[in-house]
């Protein structure tokens, strides 16, 4: 049987050519790709697609990622799967931010050749995954499977709802928080197969930017300064109130945030979500207070 490593710890015998350990997975998808098929020719679709895939492949490889597969306009990559890698979450997050930034160059080239610009949605998740040659006797290919894969695909789609381009799960955010600026933008009630099919809330964080590198002797001072100057302080409070159902408080905090960040698309989407929740029917609770007719308030 094949020996496998769980995280950085004890080896586990799997009885097949699969490796089980904590890894980071990422899926990147062209937004509204189906719409492009309606406005440009199939030949031009291939041109746009190739321009995108060449750059994304280069970014993943430069960040020591493993390209698992292409599926239509989706690209799936992983870290710490085939090869053991330290700080794999940092590599994945860096690749995601570079992919987002590369759109400016890609779109400049596309528009110069008469093609419409594109946008991407990216999901990142971290956790225990199986990787290796998976299939049957007649056909096998390298693949990565596990709940983090399901989560990263879910987060990629969730970008459309919350107005973001890059979302990560809570496990990745906990590891990446000292090197990257993030903010909590949604809570998703989903099935987690690791806990006997019980429902589990997954936190969705926007990956905003990389924090400036800091000299070792100035690390704590700079960290404290960054926390004191959190540009998303009012947004964070607004979302916390929203998640608890305190919509008036959420609206007030969000108004304060938008006074200085009036073009923040994610905040504008949250503003719409607050207004939608306010339009929901209410009922009178046992204590006489008015409650929204919503099944779950998460926090």
């Amino acid at each position: 049987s094949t020996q496998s490593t769980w995280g950085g710890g004890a080896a586990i015998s799997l009885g097949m050519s699969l490796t089980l350990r904590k890894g980071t997975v990422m899926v990147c998808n062209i937004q509204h790709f189906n719409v492009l098929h309606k406005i440009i020719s199939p030949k031009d679709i291939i041109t746009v697609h190739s321009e995108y895939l060449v750059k994304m492949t280069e970014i993943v490889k430069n960040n020591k990622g493993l390209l698992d597969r292409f599926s239509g306009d989706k690209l799936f990559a992983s870290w710490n799967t085939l090869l053991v890698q330290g700080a794999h979450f940092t590599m994945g997050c860096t690749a995601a931010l570079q992919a987002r930034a590369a759109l400016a160059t890609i779109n400049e080239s596309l528009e110069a050749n008469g093609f419409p610009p594109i946008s991407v949605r990216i999901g990142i998740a971290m956790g225990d995954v199986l990787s290796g040659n998976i299939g049957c006797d007649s056909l096998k290919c390298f693949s990565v499977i596990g709940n983090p894969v399901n989560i990263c695909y879910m987060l990629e789609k969730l970008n459309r709802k919350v107005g973001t381009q890059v979302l990560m799960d809570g496990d990745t955010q906990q590891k990446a928080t000292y090197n990257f600026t993030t903010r909590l933008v949604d809570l998703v009630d989903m099935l987690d197969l690791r806990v006997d099919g019980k429902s589990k809330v997954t936190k969705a964080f926007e990956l905003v930017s990389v924090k400036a590198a800091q000299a070792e002797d100035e690390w704590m001072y700079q960290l404290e300064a960054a926390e004191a100057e959190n540009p998303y302080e009012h947004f964070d409070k607004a979302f916390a109130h929203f998640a608890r159902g305190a919509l008036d408080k959420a609206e007030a905090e969000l108004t304060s945030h938008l006074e200085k960040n009036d073009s923040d698309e994610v905040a504008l989407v949250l503003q719409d979500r607050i207004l939608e929740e306010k339009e929901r029917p209410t009922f009178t609770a046992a204590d006489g207070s008015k409650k929204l007719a919503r099944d779950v308030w998460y926090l």
Side-chain angles (χ1 to χ4, degrees):
S1 64
T2 299
Q3 293 294 308
S4 175
T5 303
W6 183 286
I12 297 175
S13 177
L14 296 173
M16 59 186 75
S17 300
L18 295 176
T19 301
L20 175 61
R21 57 170 164 252
K22 291 191 182 295
T24 298
V25 291
M26 179 187 82
V27 62
C28 183
N29 182 33
I30 299 179
Q31 189 169 354
H32 305 310
F33 189 66
N34 291 337
V35 176
L36 286 177
H37 287 271
K38 300 177 181 179
I39 58 178
I40 61 178
S41 70
K43 181 179 178 180
D44 289 339
I45 281 288
I46 296 300
T47 301
V48 172
H49 198 212
S50 298
E51 185 99 22
Y52 156 76
L53 289 181
V54 166
K55 190 61 180 178
M56 295 302 114
T57 299
E58 177 187 330
I59 288 169
V60 170
K61 288 186 174 180
N62 287 346
N63 286 283
K64 302 179 181 179
L66 177 65
L67 274 171
D68 184 333
R69 57 186 175 270
F70 299 133
S71 177
D73 57 313
K74 284 186 173 68
L75 174 152
F76 182 82
S78 65
W79 287 262
N80 203 38
T81 50
L82 183 63
L83 301 174
V84 176
Q85 297 170 305
H88 46 89
F89 45 86
T90 299
M91 298 174 190
C93 291
T94 302
L97 288 177
Q98 289 179 0
R100 186 183 68 184
L103 282 178
T105 302
I106 294 173
N107 284 332
E108 183 178 338
S109 174
L110 291 175
E111 290 176 325
N113 290 285
F115 299 121
I118 61 173
S119 181
V120 297
R121 297 193 303 260
I122 300 172
I124 309 170
M126 188 184 78
D128 298 314
V129 292
L130 278 169
S131 63
N133 289 325
I134 298 173
C136 60
D137 290 340
S138 61
L139 180 63
K140 292 183 180 180
C141 64
F142 180 86
S143 190
V144 179
I145 59 175
N147 204 46
V149 178
N150 300 331
I151 292 173
C152 86
Y153 273 95
M154 178 273 294
L155 292 172
E156 179 269 311
K157 293 178 182 177
L158 186 64
N159 280 291
R160 181 168 46 191
K161 171 187 171 184
V162 296
T164 50
Q165 282 188 293
V166 185
L167 286 177
M168 63 167 64
D169 70 330
D171 290 341
T172 310
Q173 191 271 344
Q174 285 184 355
K175 291 289 188 180
T177 186
Y178 293 112
N179 295 319
F180 299 91
T181 300
T182 64
R183 57 173 166 175
L184 181 62
V185 296
D186 208 3
L187 298 156
V188 184
D189 198 10
M190 66 180 295
L191 188 67
D192 189 328
L193 301 180
R194 295 171 300 179
V195 287
D196 301 324
K198 294 180 181 178
S199 177
K200 178 182 177 181
V201 172
T202 295
K203 293 182 177 180
F205 290 86
E206 181 188 16
L207 177 57
V208 179
S209 62
V210 62
K211 292 179 179 177
Q214 294 159 50
E216 188 174 347
D217 57 346
E218 296 180 358
W219 181 83
M220 186 57 71
Y221 170 78
Q222 294 289 349
L223 178 61
E224 291 174 351
E227 290 176 343
E229 299 172 3
N230 176 14
Y232 299 111
E233 178 183 1
H234 289 294
F235 178 92
D236 293 342
K237 290 179 179 178
F239 185 81
H241 288 311
F242 172 73
R244 294 187 182 99
L247 300 182
D248 288 337
K249 292 181 179 179
E251 194 169 34
E253 290 289 352
L254 195 60
T255 298
S256 297
H257 173 76
L258 286 169
E259 285 176 356
K260 296 182 179 180
N261 305 275
D262 58 357
S263 61
D264 183 351
E265 184 179 349
V266 181
L268 294 171
V269 170
L270 180 57
Q271 187 177 53
D272 290 339
R273 295 174 69 188
I274 291 171
L275 293 175
E276 288 175 6
E277 290 293 347
K278 282 192 165 188
E279 293 176 356
R280 285 178 179 266
T282 60
F283 65 93
T284 303
D287 60 4
S289 62
K290 293 288 185 181
K291 300 289 185 181
L292 282 168
R294 179 175 174 180
D295 294 334
V296 178
W297 292 106
Y298 294 109
L299 298 179

